[in-house]
Amino acid sequence: MRIDHGSFMLDGKPFRIISGEMHYPRIPREYWPARLKMAKAMGLNTITTYVFWNAHETTPGTYDFSGQNDVAEFIREAQKEGLYVILRPGPYVCSEWELGGLPAWLLKDKPAKLRSLDPAFMQPAERWLHRLGQELAPLQLANGGNIIAVQVENEYASFGDDHAYLDGIRQLLVRSGFDKSLLFTSDNTDPGKNGLTDQLQVINFGTGNAEKKFAEFVKRRPEGPYMAGEYWAGWFDHWGAPHQALDAKREADELSWMLKQGYSVNLYMFHGGTSFGWMNGANWDKESYQPDVTSYDYDAPLNESGRPTPKYLAMRKAIADATGVKPPAMPATPATQAIDGIKLGESASLWDNLPAPVNAPEPRAMEDLDQAYGYILYRKVIPADRPGDLVIHGLHDYAAVYVNQVLAGTLDRRLKQDTLAIKVAKGDTLDILVENTGRINFSTEMLNERKGILGEVALRGETLRDWKIYSLPLTHVDGFAYSNKPCLHGPCFYRGSFNAPAAGHASADTFLDTAGLNKGFVWLNKRPLGRNWKIGPQRTLYVPGAWLKNQGNQLVVFDMFGTDHTTLRTLKQPVLDAPVTETAH
């Protein structure tokens, strides 16, 4: 693809990009073909995807492009459906994804200055992009593939003004083999001096802003071409905040207007899917930490489980009317199922299943222990009677405080809490269980996103020293000493098994109802499903039927506070808009 006289050109003819964003790790691999067919049936001719560095290089120098991480296969599947691909390899991607897709190990010891020319960042980034090029450069259009364009970094104008860094990323992409695709930058603000003025630019904006943003864009870049790199066709959810649902008709009308002007557009998102596992990110807005929920439904045209919404139908009609092209028939939509009576008959207390600790004079961050996600426990035997205020400096992000394994209270970074009045006596054991609730993925605040306790812990004004620190990434949860005895207090694991009729395909999709649970995490058949938190708005976790078995499915639930609600169910429909509260337990 190239640009000629202000237009995108493909095979010597003007080409208008009608794209939808969808991300391979947020969609079960088994469902990639079905989701792509739904994209084609809505009238799209292109799919846009980020590439998530931290999903592929969990430890430095070791890469995983298998299974769910097989981004090359995702792109090949798109080509089978007659869809082009716009690639957004970052290395920073934002996307409400943990640390914007950057690996947590960049923050170990003396943290790299992210998104800068700091060699501690650029050298791993170069290594990564070169390795990615081996996977994906052969799939460019000029090589017989379907990648038509490659984005340079991501919304950098909202972060910094280092033109040399941005150009450095561009050169890395070229040297990594992405020299046969159209390179571009994408910003939600005027890049001005922060952008690459000699590079194709596209613009990002939300509902109701199309006419204004394009008018500004045309004035700034009269030579064209013009594209909405992200038209936000929905929005994402934070824990403790209302579910986002936007006006489908207004968005369809705005899409129609853009297409009738001849503009290209990428719907962000066409299909959001799920930030499975620990991969939700967090925003930093108005000096407040705002962690995102597990669902990335995004109020998108195709919902979290891949089923069309009224917005899908409205946008399908808008595209057909604006282009005069009749789209393919819509694929059938499989039914979902509900399962009752999932008994979590076994439990295990975290206190009885701790790993060997690290001894340190002061608290250490997760990253310093080569830990990226999960929980970390700080333990201290109190040397003298000291009732008073416990103050945790640099809490990232959520702490449950226990005295002699009895809950004394919680502290929540969302609520700017760092002080808790407690009563402790000589010989008491103080436990501070800290959760990484999701690293910030946007703004310069992400530079400070180490997790755990980043400063000192003081009790009645005196710094506490000499800690036992337990790293709890919870990579595996099947080696614990489970029993049939109830675990009602403190951090507990619960385990049970259940059968699932019609397992193995989309007609068995279902939604785990977490009502009655407090705050924690869920695994299905050893796969990390995601977080639950009773404060809402998300109450159900998406359970893909492709990940179920007809018999003997194993469900493991971790609850930071313990629960007597050990019989769960799944529903046929998700609950993403439950009432929200500030109370954590």
Side-chain angles (χ1 to χ4, degrees):
M1 191 169 76
R2 60 187 178 88
I3 297 171
D4 188 20
H5 293 91
S7 297
F8 294 114
M9 304 292 291
L10 191 63
D11 296 329
K13 300 178 181 178
F15 180 69
R16 177 171 45 187
I17 299 168
I18 308 175
S19 175
E21 187 105 9
M22 48 195 284
H23 302 145
Y24 58 99
R26 284 177 158 140
I27 307 165
R29 177 174 175 149
E30 297 87 344
Y31 296 163
W32 289 349
R35 303 296 190 269
L36 293 163
K37 282 181 171 62
M38 291 298 290
K40 190 74 173 178
M42 200 175 86
L44 304 182
N45 58 29
T46 304
I47 288 297
T48 299
T49 185
Y50 283 123
V51 183
F52 300 88
W53 182 5
N54 58 4
H56 295 276
E57 191 180 1
T58 56
T59 57
T62 301
Y63 302 95
D64 179 10
F65 289 96
S66 65
Q68 193 68 44
N69 285 342
D70 193 351
V71 58
E73 179 59 23
F74 178 75
I75 292 170
R76 285 190 291 264
E77 290 287 349
Q79 188 172 24
K80 291 177 184 176
E81 296 301 327
L83 293 162
Y84 296 105
V85 167
I86 295 174
L87 191 70
R88 308 174 79 188
Y92 160 78
V93 300
C94 189
S95 191
E96 292 70 60
W97 189 267
E98 237 269 349
L99 200 62
L102 301 177
W105 47 259
L106 290 168
L107 303 177
K108 184 179 179 181
D109 300 327
K110 296 180 180 178
K113 186 177 180 183
L114 307 179
R115 306 178 74 186
S116 81
L117 288 172
D118 179 0
F121 178 77
M122 287 296 283
Q123 289 175 5
E126 180 173 15
R127 186 179 67 216
W128 155 244
L129 290 175
H130 178 71
R131 180 63 184 84
L132 181 65
Q134 295 176 27
E135 294 287 322
L136 301 187
L139 302 181
Q140 294 172 102
L141 186 66
N143 296 329
N146 56 330
I147 296 174
I148 57 175
V150 177
Q151 182 176 299
V152 179
E153 236 266 2
N154 187 61
E155 295 187 332
Y156 184 74
S158 301
F159 179 86
D161 58 5
D162 189 345
H163 183 277
Y165 161 72
L166 200 54
D167 185 60
I169 295 297
R170 174 170 59 180
Q171 296 306 319
L172 286 185
L173 288 168
V174 171
R175 293 200 301 271
S176 298
F178 297 108
D179 56 341
K180 297 180 180 178
S181 295
L182 192 62
L183 299 182
F184 69 98
T185 60
S186 181
D187 284 288
N188 60 12
T189 185
D190 181 352
K193 66 177 182 179
N194 299 358
L196 295 172
T197 56
D198 61 338
Q199 193 71 64
L200 171 67
Q201 296 176 358
V202 301
I203 54 173
N204 304 343
F205 55 86
T207 309
N209 289 297
E211 292 192 40
K212 175 185 176 184
K213 289 295 184 179
F214 270 113
E216 295 171 351
F217 192 30
V218 171
K219 184 177 180 180
R220 187 172 76 238
R221 305 275 289 198
E223 70 278 11
Y226 305 114
M227 178 173 178
E230 291 185 10
Y231 175 62
W232 302 325
W235 204 244
F236 52 91
D237 291 340
H238 300 303
W239 289 114
H243 173 62
Q244 298 292 314
L246 304 186
D247 188 332
K249 182 181 184 305
R250 187 181 187 190
E251 291 179 349
D253 288 346
E254 200 161 38
L255 173 62
S256 176
W257 179 86
M258 287 186 281
L259 295 177
K260 288 177 179 178
Q261 307 309 304
Y263 300 145
S264 291
V265 63
N266 174 48
L267 300 172
Y268 191 101
M269 300 290 294
F270 161 69
H271 170 46
T274 308
S275 300
F276 291 111
W278 310 96
M279 289 314 217
N280 68 279
N283 255 30
W284 181 261
D285 187 45
K286 299 178 181 178
E287 301 300 309
S288 294
Y289 171 73
Q290 301 171 339
D292 303 324
V293 303
T294 293
S295 171
Y296 202 58
D297 177 84
Y298 211 87
D299 189 37
L302 212 60
N303 70 14
E304 182 179 14
S305 65
R307 289 161 172 84
T309 67
K311 185 180 293 188
Y312 178 98
L313 299 176
M315 288 188 167
R316 184 173 189 259
K317 184 177 186 303
I319 294 170
D321 289 348
T323 62
V325 177
K326 183 179 179 180
M330 286 176 53
T333 301
T336 55
Q337 66 171 326
I339 304 170
D340 287 323
I342 301 174
K343 295 186 181 299
L344 303 175
E346 298 177 293
S347 64
S349 170
L350 176 66
W351 307 129
D352 298 332
N353 290 278
L354 293 173
V358 171
N359 296 306
E362 56 194 24
R364 297 177 66 183
M366 283 186 179
E367 295 81 0
D368 295 334
L369 302 181
D370 294 318
Q371 179 183 348
Y373 316 114
Y375 302 81
I376 186 167
L377 178 68
Y378 302 87
R379 175 170 286 180
K380 169 70 180 174
V381 177
I382 303 300
D385 293 354
R386 285 183 186 169
D389 283 347
L390 178 75
V391 181
I392 301 178
H393 297 277
L395 172 61
H396 284 195
D397 301 301
Y398 184 93
V401 180
Y402 296 87
V403 176
N404 296 329
Q405 300 182 0
V406 176
L407 183 68
T410 62
L411 295 173
D412 188 343
R413 182 184 179 192
R414 291 181 315 121
L415 306 179
K416 299 182 171 63
Q417 297 171 338
D418 63 3
T419 302
L420 180 69
I422 63 172
K423 294 181 180 180
V424 289
K426 182 178 180 179
D428 285 349
T429 297
L430 173 67
D431 282 308
I432 305 174
L433 179 62
V434 177
E435 178 192 67
N436 166 6
T437 313
R439 289 183 179 84
I440 291 171
N441 56 264
F442 185 77
S443 83
T444 56
E445 195 66 25
M446 64 185 293
L447 299 173
N448 308 310
E449 272 303 270
R450 283 153 60 85
K451 292 302 185 182
I453 296 177
L454 309 187
E456 67 176 22
V457 179
L459 182 59
R460 207 173 64 181
E462 295 185 34
T463 300
L464 297 178
R465 298 182 61 81
D466 299 322
W467 294 86
K468 290 185 182 296
I469 305 174
Y470 300 83
S471 179
L472 302 167
L474 302 188
T475 307
H476 306 287
V477 291
D478 53 354
F480 298 143
Y482 288 95
S483 75
N484 295 325
K485 297 180 181 179
C487 182
L488 301 180
H489 306 289
C492 300
F493 297 90
Y494 303 90
R495 185 171 69 179
S497 62
F498 65 97
N499 299 332
H505 47 78
S507 63
D509 282 358
T510 188
F511 303 87
L512 181 69
D513 189 355
T514 64
L517 303 178
N518 295 299
K519 179 172 177 47
F521 201 87
V522 178
W523 294 260
L524 171 71
N525 295 331
K526 300 184 180 181
R527 290 178 182 263
L529 278 187
R531 305 178 192 272
N532 65 280
W533 196 355
K534 68 180 295 183
I535 65 173
Q538 181 178 0
R539 203 185 84 191
T540 54
L541 286 170
Y542 174 47
V543 179
W547 293 359
L548 289 170
K549 300 180 291 185
N550 289 110
Q551 295 183 327
N553 296 283
Q554 185 185 85
L555 191 70
V556 175
V557 173
F558 175 66
D559 196 299
M560 290 185 73
F561 308 108
T563 180
D564 60 359
H565 191 87
T566 54
T567 300
L568 302 183
R569 63 175 181 170
T570 73
L571 306 176
K572 290 185 176 181
Q573 298 292 332
V575 179
L576 301 177
D577 56 355
V580 299
T581 69
E582 290 289 358
T583 304
H585 65 279

